[in-house]
Amino acid sequence: MSSPLILIVEDEMKIAEVIRDYLNRFGFKTSWLTQGDTVIPFVYEFGISFAVK
Amino acid sequence: MLFRDIVEISVDAHDHGFPLNHDPGPGLFSSPPKPPLHPDNRPPPDDLVQGMPPPRPMDKNHINDRISLFDASKMPVAGVSRNVKENILKEILLNGQGIGYLGVIKNKPPSKPHELRTPLSILQGEIEALQDGVRPWDDKALQSLHSEVSHINTIVDDLYSLSLADCGGLSFNMETIDPVLILKQTLSLFRTRFEKMGMDIRETPEAQNHPGRGLRIVIDFPVITRENNEVAP
C-alpha cells in the first residue's frame, strides 16, 4: 500500500516546510500549494488523502 | 466592537459633560475618591436619550486634573494603548467628541499584528521541530531562527513608531520619493502572478517618473507586506 498523499496549502514557505518535515518524518508524502484557488484542480488531477491549511 | 465602544464613550461625554461623580459600572472607570462636581454644578440634562446637545468645550486647565482622577487603562476599548485612550479623553473633553482619534484608530495598519504572528509561528514551529528531532541542529536551522528574530525586531521597531505616533511623539523623516517608481516596484512583485491570470500591465506615457514629497512610512505600510514579498516571484 502506497503512502498517503497529504496536501499542504500554506502561503508562508517556512511554515509549510515545518509541516512538511513533520509529515515526512511520519512517512507521509506531501505536496505544497501556496494559493487556495489551485487546490481543486490539483485534487482532480492527482487525488489526495488529506489536506492541511 | 472598537467603533461601538468609542462611540459610547463619546455619547457619554456629550450627555454628561464627562461626569466623574458618576460611576458607570465595573470595568469602565475607576471610582474617584472625592470626585468634583460639574464646573457649573448643574444636573445632567433630561434629554439624554432624545438628542445630542452641542459639544460643551471645557477649560483646558481642568482637563489634566480630570484625566488623572481615573485609570484610563480601564476604558473598554480593546487593542488601544493607554496613550491613545488618554488622547481620546482629552479630545472628548476639549471638543465634546473623540471622532478625530477614532479616525486615527480606524486607519491603523491592521497587518502589523498578523505580520508579528507569522514570524512567531515560524519560530515556534522551527524550535519545536528541533526539540522533536524532526530537524537537525545545523547552521541552516540557526540562520533561519536568526532571520526570524531579526524580522520580529523590525516589526517591534515599527510598533514602537506607531506608539510614538499615538502620543504625538513621532518625528517624521520627510524625504523626496518617487511614487511612480514605488508603484512600479510594487507591481513588479505581482507581475508573474498577473501574467498567470492573463492580465497585462502596461505603462502609460503619463506614468513617467514624478519625484514627489511624501511620507514613505505611510506608503510602505499598507502596500508591501511580508506575505506579498515572499509569495510573489
Coordinates of all heavy atoms in Angstrom, one line a residue, chain B residues 86-148:
Chain B
E86 N -6.0 58.1 26.6 CA -5.9 59.4 27.2 C -6.1 60.6 26.2 O -6.7 61.6 26.5 CB -4.6 59.6 28.0 CG -4.5 58.7 29.2 CD -3.3 58.9 30.1 OE1 -2.4 59.7 29.6 OE2 -3.3 58.4 31.2
N87 N -5.5 60.3 25.0 CA -5.7 61.4 24.0 C -7.2 61.4 23.5 O -7.7 62.5 23.2 CB -4.8 61.0 22.8 CG -3.4 61.4 23.0 OD1 -3.1 62.3 23.8 ND2 -2.4 60.7 22.4
I88 N -7.8 60.3 23.5 CA -9.3 60.3 23.1 C -10.0 61.1 24.2 O -10.8 62.0 23.9 CB -9.8 58.9 23.1 CG1 -9.2 58.1 21.9 CG2 -11.3 58.9 23.0 CD1 -9.6 56.6 21.9
L89 N -9.7 60.9 25.4 CA -10.4 61.6 26.5 C -10.1 63.1 26.4 O -11.0 63.9 26.6 CB -9.9 61.0 27.9 CG -10.4 59.6 28.1 CD1 -9.8 59.1 29.4 CD2 -12.0 59.6 28.2
K90 N -8.8 63.5 26.2 CA -8.5 64.9 26.1 C -9.4 65.5 24.9 O -9.9 66.6 25.1 CB -7.0 65.1 25.8 CG -6.2 64.8 27.0 CD -4.7 65.0 26.7 CE -3.8 64.7 27.9 NZ -2.4 64.8 27.6
E91 N -9.5 64.8 23.8 CA -10.2 65.3 22.7 C -11.7 65.4 23.1 O -12.4 66.4 22.7 CB -10.0 64.5 21.5 CG -10.6 65.1 20.2 CD -10.0 64.5 19.0 OE1 -8.9 64.0 19.0 OE2 -10.8 64.4 18.0
I92 N -12.2 64.4 23.8 CA -13.6 64.5 24.2 C -13.8 65.7 25.1 O -14.8 66.4 25.0 CB -14.0 63.2 25.0 CG1 -14.0 62.0 24.0 CG2 -15.3 63.3 25.7 CD1 -14.2 60.7 24.7
L93 N -12.9 65.9 26.1 CA -13.1 67.0 27.0 C -12.9 68.4 26.3 O -13.6 69.3 26.7 CB -12.1 66.9 28.1 CG -12.3 65.6 29.0 CD1 -11.2 65.5 30.0 CD2 -13.6 65.7 29.8
L94 N -12.1 68.4 25.3 CA -11.9 69.7 24.6 C -13.0 70.0 23.6 O -13.5 71.1 23.6 CB -10.5 69.6 23.9 CG -9.3 70.0 24.7 CD1 -8.0 69.7 23.9 CD2 -9.4 71.5 25.0
N95 N -13.4 69.0 22.9 CA -14.3 69.2 21.8 C -15.7 68.6 22.0 O -16.5 68.8 21.1 CB -13.7 68.7 20.5 CG -12.3 69.2 20.2 OD1 -12.0 70.4 20.5 ND2 -11.4 68.4 19.7
G96 N -15.8 67.8 23.0 CA -17.1 67.1 23.2 C -17.2 65.9 22.3 O -18.2 65.2 22.3
Q97 N -16.2 65.5 21.6 CA -16.2 64.3 20.9 C -14.8 63.8 20.6 O -13.8 64.5 20.7 CB -16.9 64.5 19.5 CG -16.2 65.6 18.7 CD -17.0 65.9 17.4 OE1 -18.0 65.2 17.1 NE2 -16.6 66.9 16.7
G98 N -14.8 62.5 20.4 CA -13.5 61.8 20.2 C -13.3 61.3 18.8 O -12.6 60.4 18.5
I99 N -14.0 61.9 17.9 CA -14.0 61.4 16.5 C -12.7 61.5 15.8 O -12.3 60.7 15.0 CB -15.1 62.2 15.7 CG1 -16.4 62.1 16.3 CG2 -15.1 61.7 14.3 CD1 -16.9 60.7 16.5
G100 N -11.9 62.6 16.1 CA -10.6 62.7 15.5 C -9.7 61.5 15.8 O -9.2 60.9 14.8
Y101 N -9.6 61.1 17.0 CA -8.8 60.0 17.3 C -9.4 58.7 16.9 O -8.7 57.7 16.6 CB -8.5 59.9 18.8 CG -7.3 60.7 19.1 CD1 -7.4 62.0 19.6 CD2 -6.0 60.3 18.9 CE1 -6.3 62.8 19.9 CE2 -4.9 61.0 19.2 CZ -5.1 62.3 19.6 OH -4.0 63.1 19.9
L102 N -10.7 58.6 16.8 CA -11.4 57.5 16.2 C -10.9 57.2 14.8 O -10.6 56.1 14.4 CB -12.9 57.6 16.2 CG -13.7 56.5 15.5 CD1 -13.5 55.2 16.3 CD2 -15.1 56.9 15.5
G103 N -10.7 58.3 14.0 CA -10.2 58.2 12.7 C -8.8 57.6 12.7 O -8.4 56.8 11.9
V104 N -8.0 58.1 13.6 CA -6.6 57.6 13.7 C -6.6 56.1 14.0 O -5.9 55.3 13.3 CB -5.8 58.3 14.8 CG1 -4.5 57.7 15.1 CG2 -5.6 59.8 14.5
I105 N -7.5 55.7 14.9 CA -7.5 54.2 15.2 C -8.0 53.4 14.0 O -7.4 52.4 13.7 CB -8.4 54.0 16.4 CG1 -7.8 54.7 17.7 CG2 -8.6 52.6 16.7 CD1 -8.7 54.7 18.9
K106 N -9.0 53.9 13.4 CA -9.6 53.1 12.2 C -8.6 53.0 11.1 O -8.6 52.0 10.4 CB -10.8 53.8 11.7 CG -12.0 53.7 12.6 CD -13.2 54.5 12.1 CE -13.7 54.0 10.8 NZ -14.9 54.8 10.4
N107 N -7.7 54.0 11.0 CA -6.7 54.0 9.9 C -5.4 53.3 10.3 O -4.5 53.2 9.5 CB -6.4 55.4 9.4 CG -7.6 56.0 8.8 OD1 -8.4 55.3 8.2 ND2 -7.7 57.3 8.9
K108 N -5.4 52.7 11.5 CA -4.2 52.0 11.8 C -3.9 50.8 10.9 O -4.9 50.1 10.6 CB -4.3 51.5 13.3 CG -3.7 52.4 14.3 CD -3.6 51.7 15.6 CE -2.9 52.5 16.6 NZ -2.8 51.8 17.9
P109 N -2.7 50.5 10.5 CA -2.5 49.4 9.7 C -2.8 48.1 10.3 O -2.2 47.8 11.4 CB -1.0 49.5 9.4 CG -0.6 50.9 9.7 CD -1.5 51.3 10.8
P110 N -3.8 47.4 9.8 CA -4.2 46.2 10.5 C -3.3 45.0 10.3 O -3.4 44.0 10.9 CB -5.6 45.9 9.9 CG -5.4 46.4 8.5 CD -4.6 47.7 8.6
S111 N -2.3 45.1 9.4 CA -1.5 44.0 9.1 C -0.4 43.7 10.1 O 0.2 42.6 10.1 CB -0.8 44.2 7.7 OG 0.0 45.3 7.7
K112 N -0.1 44.7 11.0 CA 1.1 44.5 11.9 C 0.9 43.3 12.8 O 1.8 42.5 13.0 CB 1.3 45.8 12.6 CG 2.1 46.8 11.8 CD 3.4 46.3 11.5 CE 4.0 47.2 10.3 NZ 5.2 46.6 9.8
P113 N -0.2 43.2 13.5 CA -0.4 42.0 14.4 C -0.2 40.7 13.6 O 0.4 39.8 14.1 CB -1.8 42.2 15.0 CG -2.0 43.6 14.9 CD -1.4 44.1 13.6
H114 N -0.8 40.7 12.4 CA -0.6 39.4 11.6 C 0.8 39.2 11.2 O 1.3 38.1 11.3 CB -1.5 39.5 10.4 CG -1.3 38.4 9.4 ND1 -1.8 37.1 9.7 CD2 -0.6 38.3 8.2 CE1 -1.5 36.3 8.7 NE2 -0.8 37.0 7.8
E115 N 1.5 40.2 10.9 CA 2.9 40.1 10.5 C 3.8 39.7 11.7 O 4.8 39.0 11.5 CB 3.4 41.4 9.9 CG 2.8 41.7 8.5 CD 3.6 42.8 7.9 OE1 4.8 42.7 7.7 OE2 3.0 43.8 7.5
L116 N 3.4 40.1 12.9 CA 4.1 39.7 14.0 C 3.8 38.2 14.4 O 4.7 37.4 14.8 CB 3.8 40.6 15.2 CG 4.6 40.4 16.5 CD1 6.1 40.6 16.2 CD2 4.2 41.4 17.5
R117 N 2.6 37.8 14.2 CA 2.2 36.5 14.5 C 2.9 35.4 13.6 O 3.2 34.3 14.0 CB 0.6 36.3 14.3 CG 0.0 35.1 15.0 CD -1.5 35.1 14.9 NE -2.0 36.2 15.7 CZ -2.8 37.2 15.2 NH1 -3.1 37.2 13.9 NH2 -3.3 38.2 16.0
T118 N 3.1 35.8 12.3 CA 3.7 34.9 11.4 C 5.1 34.5 11.8 O 5.4 33.3 11.9 CB 3.7 35.4 9.9 OG1 2.3 35.7 9.6 CG2 4.3 34.5 9.0
P119 N 6.0 35.4 12.0 CA 7.4 35.0 12.4 C 7.4 34.3 13.7 O 8.2 33.4 14.0 CB 8.2 36.3 12.4 CG 7.1 37.4 12.5 CD 5.9 36.9 11.8
L120 N 6.5 34.7 14.6 CA 6.4 34.0 15.9 C 6.0 32.5 15.7 O 6.5 31.6 16.3 CB 5.4 34.7 16.9 CG 6.0 36.0 17.5 CD1 4.9 36.7 18.3 CD2 7.1 35.7 18.4
S121 N 5.0 32.3 14.8 CA 4.6 30.9 14.5 C 5.7 30.1 13.9 O 5.9 29.0 14.2 CB 3.4 30.9 13.5 OG 2.3 31.6 14.1
I122 N 6.5 30.8 13.0 CA 7.7 30.1 12.4 C 8.7 29.8 13.4 O 9.2 28.6 13.5 CB 8.3 31.0 11.3 CG1 7.3 31.2 10.1 CG2 9.6 30.4 10.8 CD1 7.8 32.3 9.2
L123 N 9.0 30.7 14.3 CA 9.9 30.4 15.4 C 9.5 29.2 16.2 O 10.3 28.3 16.5 CB 10.1 31.7 16.3 CG 11.2 32.7 16.0 CD1 11.2 33.7 17.1 CD2 12.5 31.9 16.0
Q124 N 8.2 29.3 16.6 CA 7.7 28.2 17.5 C 7.8 26.8 16.8 O 8.3 25.8 17.3 CB 6.3 28.5 17.9 CG 5.7 27.4 18.8 CD 4.3 27.8 19.3 OE1 3.7 28.8 18.9 NE2 3.8 26.9 20.2
G125 N 7.4 26.9 15.5 CA 7.4 25.6 14.7 C 8.8 25.1 14.5 O 9.0 23.9 14.7
E126 N 9.7 26.0 14.2 CA 11.1 25.5 13.9 C 11.8 25.0 15.2 O 12.5 24.1 15.2 CB 11.9 26.6 13.3 CG 11.4 26.9 11.8 CD 12.3 27.9 11.1 OE1 13.1 28.6 11.7 OE2 12.2 27.9 9.8
I127 N 11.5 25.7 16.3 CA 12.1 25.3 17.6 C 11.6 24.0 18.0 O 12.3 23.1 18.4 CB 11.9 26.4 18.7 CG1 12.7 27.6 18.4 CG2 12.2 25.8 20.1 CD1 12.5 28.8 19.3
E128 N 10.2 23.8 17.9 CA 9.6 22.5 18.3 C 10.1 21.4 17.3 O 10.3 20.2 17.8 CB 8.1 22.6 18.2 CG 7.6 23.5 19.4 CD 6.1 23.7 19.3 OE1 5.4 23.1 18.3 OE2 5.5 24.3 20.2
A129 N 10.3 21.7 16.1 CA 10.9 20.7 15.2 C 12.3 20.2 15.6 O 12.6 19.1 15.5 CB 10.9 21.2 13.7
L130 N 13.1 21.2 16.1 CA 14.4 20.9 16.6 C 14.3 20.0 17.9 O 15.0 19.0 18.1 CB 15.2 22.1 16.9 CG 15.6 23.0 15.6 CD1 16.1 24.3 16.0 CD2 16.6 22.2 14.8
Q131 N 13.4 20.4 18.7 CA 13.2 19.7 20.0 C 12.7 18.3 19.8 O 13.1 17.4 20.4 CB 12.2 20.4 20.9 CG 12.7 21.8 21.5 CD 11.6 22.5 22.2 OE1 10.5 22.5 21.9 NE2 12.0 23.2 23.3
D132 N 11.8 18.1 18.8 CA 11.3 16.8 18.5 C 12.2 15.9 17.6 O 11.9 14.8 17.3 CB 9.9 17.0 17.8 CG 8.9 17.6 18.7 OD1 9.1 17.6 19.9 OD2 7.9 18.1 18.1
G133 N 13.3 16.5 17.2 CA 14.2 15.7 16.4 C 13.8 15.6 14.9 O 14.3 14.8 14.2
V134 N 12.8 16.4 14.5 CA 12.4 16.3 13.1 C 13.4 17.0 12.2 O 13.6 16.6 11.1 CB 11.0 17.0 13.0 CG1 10.6 17.2 11.6 CG2 9.9 16.2 13.8
R135 N 14.1 18.0 12.8 CA 15.1 18.7 12.0 C 16.4 18.6 12.8 O 16.4 18.6 14.0 CB 14.7 20.2 11.9 CG 13.7 20.4 10.8 CD 13.5 21.9 10.6 NE 12.5 22.1 9.5 CZ 12.2 23.3 9.1 NH1 12.7 24.4 9.7 NH2 11.4 23.5 8.1
P136 N 17.5 18.6 12.1 CA 18.8 18.6 12.7 C 19.3 20.0 13.2 O 18.9 21.0 12.5 CB 19.8 18.0 11.6 CG 19.1 18.5 10.4 CD 17.6 18.5 10.6
W137 N 20.0 20.0 14.2 CA 20.7 21.3 14.6 C 21.8 21.5 13.7 O 22.8 20.8 13.7 CB 21.2 21.2 16.1 CG 20.3 21.6 17.1 CD1 19.5 20.9 18.0 CD2 19.9 23.0 17.4 NE1 18.8 21.7 18.8 CE2 19.0 23.0 18.5 CE3 20.3 24.2 16.9 CZ2 18.5 24.2 19.0 CZ3 19.8 25.4 17.4 CH2 18.9 25.3 18.4
D138 N 21.7 22.5 12.9 CA 22.9 22.8 12.0 C 22.8 24.3 11.7 O 22.0 25.1 12.2 CB 22.8 22.0 10.7 CG 21.5 22.1 10.0 OD1 20.7 23.1 10.3 OD2 21.1 21.3 9.1
D139 N 23.8 24.8 10.9 CA 23.9 26.2 10.6 C 22.6 26.7 9.9 O 22.2 27.8 10.1 CB 25.1 26.5 9.7 CG 26.4 26.4 10.4 OD1 26.3 26.4 11.7 OD2 27.5 26.3 9.8
K140 N 22.0 25.9 9.0 CA 20.8 26.3 8.3 C 19.7 26.6 9.3 O 19.0 27.6 9.2 CB 20.4 25.2 7.3 CG 19.2 25.6 6.5 CD 18.7 24.5 5.6 CE 17.4 24.8 4.9 NZ 16.9 23.7 4.1
A141 N 19.5 25.7 10.3 CA 18.5 25.9 11.3 C 18.7 27.2 12.1 O 17.8 28.0 12.4 CB 18.4 24.7 12.2
L142 N 20.0 27.4 12.5 CA 20.4 28.5 13.3 C 20.2 29.8 12.5 O 19.6 30.8 13.0 CB 21.8 28.4 13.7 CG 22.3 29.4 14.8 CD1 21.5 29.2 16.0 CD2 23.8 29.2 15.1
Q143 N 20.5 29.8 11.2 CA 20.4 31.0 10.4 C 18.9 31.4 10.2 O 18.5 32.5 10.2 CB 21.0 30.8 9.0 CG 22.5 30.9 9.0 CD 23.2 30.5 7.7 OE1 22.5 30.3 6.7 NE2 24.5 30.5 7.7
S144 N 18.1 30.3 10.1 CA 16.6 30.6 9.9 C 16.1 31.2 11.2 O 15.3 32.2 11.1 CB 15.9 29.3 9.6 OG 14.5 29.5 9.4
L145 N 16.4 30.7 12.3 CA 16.0 31.2 13.6 C 16.4 32.7 13.7 O 15.7 33.6 14.1 CB 16.5 30.4 14.8 CG 15.9 29.0 14.9 CD1 16.6 28.3 16.1 CD2 14.4 29.0 15.0
H146 N 17.7 32.9 13.4 CA 18.2 34.3 13.5 C 17.5 35.2 12.6 O 17.2 36.4 13.0 CB 19.7 34.3 13.2 CG 20.4 35.6 13.3 ND1 20.5 36.5 12.2 CD2 20.9 36.3 14.4 CE1 21.1 37.6 12.6 NE2 21.3 37.5 14.0
S147 N 17.2 34.8 11.4 CA 16.5 35.7 10.4 C 15.1 36.1 11.0 O 14.6 37.2 10.8 CB 16.4 35.1 9.0 OG 15.5 34.0 9.0
E148 N 14.4 35.1 11.6 CA 13.1 35.4 12.1 C 13.1 36.3 13.3 O 12.3 37.2 13.4 CB 12.4 34.1 12.6 CG 12.0 33.1 11.4 CD 11.3 33.8 10.3 OE1 10.3 34.6 10.6 OE2 11.6 33.6 9.1

